[in-house]
Amino acid sequence: MTPKNYKFTKEHEWICPDGNKGTVGITDYAQHELGDIVYVDLPSPGAKVAQFKRMCEIESVKAVAEFFAPASGTITEVNQAAIDEPKIINEDPYGKAWLVKIEISDPAELNNLMNSDQYDVYTAKLTKEMKE
Amino acid sequence: MESSELKKTPLNQMHRKLGAKMMDFAGWDMPVWYTSILEEHKAVRTHAGIFDVSDMGRVWVTGKGAGAFLDKMLTKPPQSLPIGGAQLCLLCFENGGILDDLWVYRVETDKYLIVWNAAKIESKRQWLDKWAGKNPDFRIDDVSAKTVMLAVQGPSVAKLECLKTIADLPRFGHKEAVIGGIKVYAARTGYTGEDGFEIIADIADTVRLWELFTKAGVKPCGLGCRDMLRLEAGMMLCGQDMDSNTNPFEASLGWLVNMEGSDFIGKKALIEIKQKGIKRKLIGFEIQGREIARNGYKIFKSGKEVGVVTSGGNSPMLNKNVGFGYVPVEMADINTSIDIMIRNKPVPAKIVNKKFYKRGG
């Protein structure tokens, strides 16, 4: 189930906003596309990220993918559990496998993102295109 | 690719029905994984997995001159095989470059089966036709489109009830048989580093044959785990680890070439190459970190670029990331430290024996 209170990017990142803070991760669709995840290279706390610009790399057995920040801001925390045991991203991408926490510099940027219904429609379309 | 439209094996519908993630492999629409590469890998290493390998080419060479012709085409003379024997060998160009690696099975005195890789099928067939010339005293029959080919691999496969009629085959042995009421040609070969069989049947029996195994608990496995298995077992992939720009000696495939036997295409050039000595060599390496090296990544030594990665991946059996790559011969010794440039960062690695995993060892 796509969480209702999260916001989504076209590149399959999510952010769960809480005032000017936000928790960030990749979506269930993204983990499914990547397959077995074996390595995560996250930015360090204090690093600045910009909306839709490179944030981290996630490597699966099959491929390596770049992920982008869903909002601009400063990294305040990284999820050591996801670094130590990347397969939890496959198991629980919306929950215990969050990747970083961000202090959001411009909350208005969140209006550039999809809500969960829009994201579901978007990924359903991608899945359908792929099957054809 | 020889055509923009992806080719489909007789099992394409089955893969899609099973929800496989599909990819373009050498112009074929093939499954990468059904559930997970790691789960499928584990099935093959601990129990049994099944692969659709119908994208590979199957060619019969039959007739009085078949053996002599193949002795000329291949780097090891198939005429020295006993009937029922088989060998892995190479198809080389005149300059010693590698066109493909393939299995040749001697079925009868004048009847051979060739199984080669999915890539460049057209060029390989043309290559054979060119050297066969006009009115040869043998026939080349490509039966790939009329047949289906499955690989059933893993430590439990020889105990499968449905395979009891071929369980007596020795390693690399092959024969005509009936399994589950289906007429097949079966060989005890594979590309996973495990015991197993490769089975060819008429296209009409495709689904029955597949389900014979899946109903017996054999797990469908995709190309992702196949690549992981072959890399882990130290087996190379033609077109990626070696190609027309590499010769067998630098590709560490000298064991597939018989320099003492009959004359074959490329032998003259290979004699010269061997005399001059090779400059680079394919090695195996183990990464000392968690990053995966992938095809095309650069290899460095003391800050200087010295080579390139051809294959790389995770080895679940070793719990390490491993790979193959080319380095100058003088740096190719076991235990040599190298760096692999992974996303602009030098990651330390060590040259090791490229047979990363050995069954039962």
Side-chain angles (χ1 to χ4, degrees), chain B residues 90-109:
Chain B
L90 302 169
L91 198 57
C92 280
F93 289 108
E94 288 116 312
N95 69 0
I98 298 167
L99 179 50
D100 204 3
D101 62 338
L102 56 84
W103 276 94
V104 57
Y105 303 87
R106 190 170 200 184
V107 177
E108 289 168 19
T109 307

Side-chain angles (χ1 to χ4, degrees), chain B residues 289-302:
Chain B
R290 294 175 66 190
E291 295 89 342
I292 293 178
R294 297 182 191 272
N295 176 267
Y297 287 10
K298 305 275 195 301
I299 299 175
F300 280 68
K301 170 91 191 152
S302 314

Side-chain angles (χ1 to χ4, degrees), chain B residues 26-197:
Chain B
W28 290 84
D29 186 42
M30 297 299 285
V32 200
W33 71 74
Y34 300 85
T35 58
S36 134
I37 293 178
L38 291 173
E39 277 175 25
E40 292 163 22
H41 169 277
K42 192 172 171 192
V44 176
R45 287 279 182 252
T46 61
H47 178 51
I50 184 172
F51 301 84
D52 175 13
V53 290
S54 307
D55 55 326
M56 298 182 80
R58 303 169 283 290
V59 178
W60 289 93
V61 185
T62 321
K64 201 166 153 273
F69 173 65
L70 291 175
D71 279 4
K72 181 174 80 178
M73 300 307 296
L74 305 175
T75 55
K76 262 174 150 181
Q79 277 199 111
S80 33
L81 286 171
I83 291 166
Q87 68 189 13
L88 187 63
C89 56
L90 302 169
L91 198 57
C92 280
F93 289 108
E94 288 116 312
N95 69 0
I98 298 167
L99 179 50
D100 204 3
D101 62 338
L102 56 84
W103 276 94
V104 57
Y105 303 87
R106 190 170 200 184
V107 177
E108 289 168 19
T109 307
D110 296 322
K111 189 174 181 185
Y112 298 83
L113 171 66
I114 284 175
V115 176
W116 56 26
N117 286 298
K120 296 191 176 153
I121 294 262
E122 284 301 324
S123 343
K124 287 179 290 197
R125 239 164 22 197
Q126 282 166 13
W127 181 251
L128 290 195
D129 288 343
K130 180 190 149 183
W131 289 97
K134 281 192 185 128
N135 308 314
D137 53 355
F138 55 88
R139 280 175 42 210
I140 302 174
D141 297 310
D142 188 331
V143 296
S144 310
K146 290 184 273 186
T147 53
V148 62
M149 182 164 164
L150 301 181
V152 192
Q153 304 275 303
S156 307
V157 294
K159 287 171 242 151
L160 287 172
E161 179 62 24
C162 60
L163 289 184
K164 64 170 190 249
T165 56
I166 55 172
D168 62 332
L169 280 175
R171 194 171 178 224
F172 307 159
H174 50 96
K175 66 177 183 183
E176 224 173 63
V178 174
I179 58 172
I182 303 162
K183 209 179 134 196
V184 300
Y185 201 83
R188 197 154 195 166
T189 46
Y191 188 51
T192 59
E194 294 300 330
D195 188 15
F197 298 91

Side-chain angles (χ1 to χ4, degrees), chain A residues 108-127:
Chain A
E109 277 184 353
L110 298 177
N111 297 327
N112 300 334
L113 305 177
M114 288 178 267
N115 66 30
S116 67
D117 290 344
Q118 289 166 326
Y119 183 70
D120 282 343
V121 171
Y122 172 67
T123 51
K125 199 170 148 242
L126 291 180
T127 307

Side-chain angles (χ1 to χ4, degrees), chain A residues 82-102:
Chain A
I83 296 173
D84 293 341
E85 212 185 342
K87 72 170 185 199
I88 65 170
I89 302 170
N90 293 118
E91 293 160 2
D92 191 9
Y94 293 129
K96 68 176 181 193
W98 58 275
L99 298 177
V100 297
K101 294 192 179 185
I102 298 185

